[in-house]
Each structure stands twice: as C-alpha cells, then as structure tokens.
Amino acid sequence: MKWKILNKGKEKDIIKILLKNRGLKTKKQQQEFVNPKDPHKLTPKEIGISPLQIIKAVRRIKKAIKNKEKIIVYGDYDTDGACATAIIWEVLHGLGANVMPFLPTREEGYGMKVERIEEFAKDKVTLVITVDQGIIANQQVEHAKKLGIDVIITDHHLPGEKNPKALAIIHTTKLSGAGVSWFLAKKFSKPGLDLATIGTVSDVMPLLGANRAIVYHGLSDVRKTKRLGLKELYKMARIIPEKIGTYEIGFIIGPRLNAAGRMDDPMESLRLVCTKDRKRAQDLAQLLDQKNRQRQQLMDQTTIHARELWLKEDGKSVLIFVNHESYQEGIVGLVAGKLMEEFYRPAIIVARGKEFSRASARSIEEFNIVEAIRACADILGPHGGHPRAAGFTVETSKIEILRNRLIKIAEEKLDKEKLAPVLKIDTEIDPQDLNFTLYQQIQELSPFGEGNPQPVFASRQVGVVEAKTVGNGGRHLKLRITSRHSPVTFDAIAFGMASLYSQLSPEKPIDIAYNFQIDEWNGQRRLVLRIKDIRPMETSFP
C-alpha cells in the first residue's frame, strides 16, 4: 500500500491541516464547513438545480392534486431510491393527492420500463414523477407523452448526451436521489431530514457542501425519528438511537433497507419507513433483518466463487470481469466491491441469464467505470451510474465481446505496474501529541464519510511494547505502542494484520498509519489507535 502524506507544508495546527486537506482553504469555507447551513435555506443555484424546472414541476403537481389525477412516484430499488420515493409519496399523500409509489424489482431492472408506462396509461395515470432515476430515459419519456402521461424527472445520476423531453427535470449530481427528492418535496411542506440523510450516506455521497448540511442537521432527525419502522429496525439491529452516526447508517441501517431490494421486494423497505402500524413495523423490521442475514451469506459464497473463478480463468487483467449463471443480480454489486478492494482494480460481476444478463461494476479512483461502459453502448441495453459504481444489461451472447472491449479500454487507461491502493494520510504526528482535547476538536469536523474521511495520521519509528493475535482464528493484532520521545503507551488494534506478528518485536521500530478514538469501559475512558497500515523496520532501535 502506498502512503500519500497530504500535508507537506510547515503548518502545525492539526485542525487547519485537516480543513485544508479537504479543500477548505479560505476562512469562509472553513467556517461554513464547521457550521453547515440549514438545508431548508439552500437555494437551487447552490446545488445546481434549475429554479425554472422546479417552478414547472411544482405547478404541474399542484394541478394534478387539484384535479385528483392519478400520480405514480417511480423510484429505484436501493436504499437511496426507496428513501427518495417515500419522501415524495408521503408529502403528496399528505396533501390529498391520488398518488401511489412504485419500486421495480432488480429482476425487472433499473429505470423506467415502457411496459410499466403502458400499464400506468391503462390505469389512467396522467403524471409520473421519477426519483433516483430517469435522466437517461429518453425513449420512455417520449412513449409516455404519446400515451398522455406527463413525466417529471428527479435524479442525480450522470446525464446522457441529450436530456429526455420531460415536462420538468429536477437534476443535480451534487445530491443523492433522496436529497433531490427532499429538495422538491420541501416546496410543498417541511419534510424531515431522516430519509434524506439515510439516502445520502447509503449512496456514498461526498459529505461536503449541501450533502454535509443535510447529514449534519439530519442525524438528529435519524436519532429522534418518529417512524415506527426505523425505531423497530434500530431495536432489531441493537443500535442505540442517540449514538447513530454515519457508520451506523452506512453499515447497519442502510444495508438492511437495501436487503429487501437485493433479495426480493424493495417495496418492503418503503413500507417499513412509512408504516403507522407498530405490529407491521415489527414484522417488517424482523423480515428485513432476516433478509440481510441471507444477503450476507449469499454475498460471502458468491465472492469466494467469483474470486476463484477470476484467478483461474484470468487473474492478470487490469479489469476484473466475471460472469456466471448462479449469481444473483441483487448482490453482484457487493461482490464487485469486495474484489475491487482486494485486488485494487475495476471489477464487473455479471449475473448471466439465458437471453439477457445484468451486471454491476465498482471502480477505483483512477478509472471512470461509467464512461467505459458508455463507450460500449452499441452492444448494451439499459446502463448508467457514477464514475465509481455503475450497472448495465447486456445480451448474454455478447458478454465475451463486451469483456474484451472493457479490458482493452482499461488497459489503455491504467498502468498495471502502478495499480496499488493509496492510503491518504493527513499528516505525520508524534503519538505523545494525541489527547482528549485533540479528539474533541476533530469531532467538530464530523460527520465523517465519503469526501470527508475520518482523519488518518502517521507516526514514524514507534516502539512495540506488546503484541498478540486476537479475534476469530487469531486474524487481528492487538498492540501496545509507545513514542520514542515519551514513556506514554497506547493500545492499538490492527484488523486482519495478524500475518505481520512475526515481524514485530520491542527491539525494532515500526511506522504506523491510523485513526484514533475513545474507548469507554467500566467508566474509564482511554484513547485507542485503529491501525490502517504497519511498516515494520529492518533495523533495530539505536
């Protein structure tokens, strides 16, 4: 793993270093970051949304409510999509609109389908509002217009060469799908920020600017939510509501909401967050928890299979491409993410079907995966996404052609010899400078997440006072380390690094990269280091 020290100047104030490392150079930028704006006061211009398009959308929705027209909120099956759908549906339903939510299954596929539009037309639907999708649905929008259905698009994915000719397009790449949905919904009422926050974190949006404002203020709504379904989900996952942060949303709450769409029916997640019935909330929370366990087991099995298959059939290309008929499309994105992290290269996993196959892709920072996929649009069905995550449908007979083309594109863009994960380190620090005051100052920069990562520090030539392997199968390292300049020691945990145990001894120094946190036990508080990387030294202490 390469280390990239971000601070190479003479600045010594750690908080100033952290702010500058996040691109916040002026005093105004830093103040706005530490004290984010109330998201209710954000203007369309600040988030890249056209005010004219909002006016058109609001006017058309009000007309539909007044005339009791049938409205469909057409969402997406992931956590962000379900939250986005719930936000719009709840607000319009509360205003007396004749509105119904619709989330496609993963088998049906991402985005609007012509067949569904025709069904809506037969059911006398006259307005469709897309959420978390629609920005590349040119043909579908044209078909809807022919059938007498107006379409309002709300989306945050990358647009195509031409926007659809929808009645209004509420679009920005600066927010999550739920964030865009919330921004439109607040033109009608004052919806809570809980679902917008969950969608923003779950969709791994950069926690800067408007997204930071939503999450910074919205975490309180998530913790104090009145939604019976979320409360029951917290109980099921053994989460303490008052302690919910971005980690709990990204790794505990979001995956459970996502499990419904990955394993079966995404509407179960929407029902959970919207239900007013406690017994139904309990049943749905239990169901999603069960589906999440099934998802975890299936993901582990598929990851092992895909890994072995790639190493057997290829194992050398700069892009991982694996397809198999046993893969379930609901978890191929997770598997792609696991292989991308392990081998540090773009990964595409295909759930192969008889006639059509569906795939998910995850990519490294150096390679724009959606751009590569769009370069193969001539042999693809529906496709889209972001630079780091995307998906597509392809005729099964064209999988091998597609694989060769994508690998060729990757080879032109990436240098295999330089493919290695980079650990970005904010600054070097001596462990003796770590204290509770610094920890509290760092917490003022939270919430942490994409775009605003937990600060990482490096310390050189630290001593190992004690080392032992711990955990299931002894996979982890537990250390006690000390600075060369101070007798003070710190406990440290290094997950998955037990293989380094034989290289550690009190006589030899090590360089470490780490976060640090407070551990509370039996009323005692202490600082603990969470090791990100260890570099054992060959020479002993002088």
Side-chain angles (χ1 to χ4, degrees), residues 416-467:
K416 185 161 59 175
E417 300 303 318
K418 295 181 181 178
L419 274 183
V422 175
L423 179 59
K424 293 181 180 178
I425 296 169
D426 283 286
T427 191
E428 293 186 26
I429 189 173
D430 193 297
Q432 69 177 344
D433 295 329
L434 302 177
N435 53 55
F436 289 106
T437 300
L438 177 60
Y439 177 81
Q440 293 301 334
Q441 290 174 337
I442 289 173
Q443 293 314 298
E444 294 296 314
L445 307 185
S446 67
F448 299 113
E450 184 73 14
N452 179 32
Q454 189 91 22
V456 178
F457 302 101
S459 293
R460 306 283 187 180
Q461 302 251 315
V462 300
V464 180
V465 177
E466 184 182 346

Side-chain angles (χ1 to χ4, degrees), residues 374-400:
R374 286 181 175 175
C376 303
D378 57 304
I379 58 170
L380 293 177
H383 58 278
H386 305 287
R388 300 285 295 275
F392 60 84
T393 299
V394 62
E395 289 181 36
T396 302
S397 61
K398 295 178 180 176
I399 286 178
E400 198 60 28

Side-chain angles (χ1 to χ4, degrees), residues 76 102 163 165 311 322 351 410 428 432 443 476 496-497 511:
D76 185 28
F102 174 77
N163 283 340
K165 295 180 180 179
L311 290 174
V322 182
E428 293 186 26
Q432 69 177 344
Q443 293 314 298
H476 316 305
M497 299 188 198
D511 291 348

Side-chain angles (χ1 to χ4, degrees), residues 323-327 329 350-358 394-397 399:
N323 73 96
H324 200 267
E325 64 273 6
S326 69
Y327 297 166
E329 59 192 75
V350 185
R352 194 169 74 222
K354 289 185 178 179
E355 186 176 355
F356 292 97
S357 299
R358 293 194 176 94
V394 62
E395 289 181 36
T396 302
S397 61
I399 286 178

